Amino acid sequence: TISRNPVWKDDFTLFTSDVNISTESAKCNTSAGGMNYEKGEKEKDSLVKIELYHKAIPYLEKAISLHPKYFAAWLLYGNTLMGLEQYDQSLQAYINGYKLTSSKDALNNMFVVVQNSERRKRYDVAKMAINTLLHYQPNNTDYKYELAVIYDNIQKPDSAVIILNELLKTSTKKASIYSKLGEVYG
């Protein structure tokens, strides 16, 4: 007991130590990956942040290989890949997780992939992600609106106008739709 006291310093130390003992545990690998990811999220230095994300990846990949139906591992893997701006791979991790549990967290994170991809002008990934979301929730007006925004950004105003006009028939957020229509027509 006494020799184990130092690893109880904090969760990061505990989980990154225990994974060296229980190397074949999906839980330990997920926890170690998660701790590196969480520490990376809090890190101000971008190089250290990226290094922590890269340390998280092998743990999470091992957890997934040990237990492919472990939702938490898929979600953390997607989050870490998103932190590394690997949006297409992040999307795939969230899709894999969603197929296991139909979790709202996975859908929410897929939408963050859309937003981050758009911010980085990675419209191919944004469109793929929004179409995935629409596959799972075809009547979601927020997703349809975002698809119209993507079409506008990729210089397909006719497609954006069609979607926005359809949304006017059913959505309660008419002001933002009219505003976007004005932008597209402009």
Side-chain angles (χ1 to χ4, degrees):
T1 303
I2 293 170
S3 68
R4 217 159 125 67
N5 279 347
V7 300
W8 286 91
K9 174 183 169 196
D10 55 30
D11 284 347
F12 182 84
T13 305
L14 178 65
F15 291 125
T16 56
S17 297
D18 283 356
V19 76
N20 294 321
I21 297 163
S22 300
T23 58
E24 298 303 307
S25 165
K27 171 68 174 131
C28 285
N29 277 282
T30 299
S31 296
M35 287 293 108
N36 277 286
Y37 166 74
E38 286 177 23
K39 193 170 182 180
E41 281 292 281
K42 295 173 187 168
E43 180 59 51
K44 303 248 185 273
D45 183 325
S46 61
L47 293 176
V48 174
K49 178 186 284 277
I50 290 169
E51 183 181 324
L52 286 162
Y53 290 156
H54 281 291
K55 283 183 180 179
I57 295 289
Y59 291 122
L60 296 168
E61 287 175 341
K62 180 147 189 191
I64 290 166
S65 74
L66 292 167
H67 185 4
K69 295 183 178 184
Y70 195 179
F71 174 73
W74 282 111
L75 195 67
L76 283 166
Y77 186 53
N79 292 350
T80 305
L81 290 166
M82 189 164 359
L84 291 169
E85 297 183 13
Q86 296 176 12
Y87 302 125
D88 48 347
Q89 292 172 295
S90 178
L91 173 64
Q92 190 56 57
Y94 296 139
I95 291 169
N96 291 344
Y98 184 78
K99 287 177 181 177
L100 297 172
T101 65
S102 300
S103 166
K104 234 181 163 163
D105 289 336
L107 291 177
N108 291 339
N109 289 7
M110 283 185 229
F111 194 71
V112 174
V113 169
V114 172
Q115 295 169 322
N116 288 343
S117 297
E118 284 181 292
R119 217 174 283 120
R120 297 279 190 236
K121 300 188 185 320
R122 298 271 320 274
Y123 299 117
D124 57 328
V125 178
K127 187 177 172 195
M128 184 173 39
I130 205 69
N131 283 326
T132 300
L133 287 165
L134 283 165
H135 171 75
Y136 294 127
Q137 294 188 336
N139 298 320
N140 186 306
T141 56
D142 291 332
Y143 298 163
K144 289 179 182 180
Y145 179 84
E146 203 61 37
L147 181 59
V149 169
I150 293 167
Y151 277 130
D152 182 37
N153 285 325
I154 61 174
Q155 308 302 313
K156 292 191 176 186
D158 293 345
S159 297
V161 167
I162 290 168
I163 293 168
L164 293 167
N165 281 323
E166 277 298 313
L167 282 173
L168 282 174
K169 297 174 188 173
T170 58
S171 179
T172 58
K173 300 176 184 177
K174 295 194 186 297
S176 60
I177 295 168
Y178 278 120
S179 177
K180 189 65 187 172
L181 265 173
E183 287 178 36
V184 174
Y185 282 131

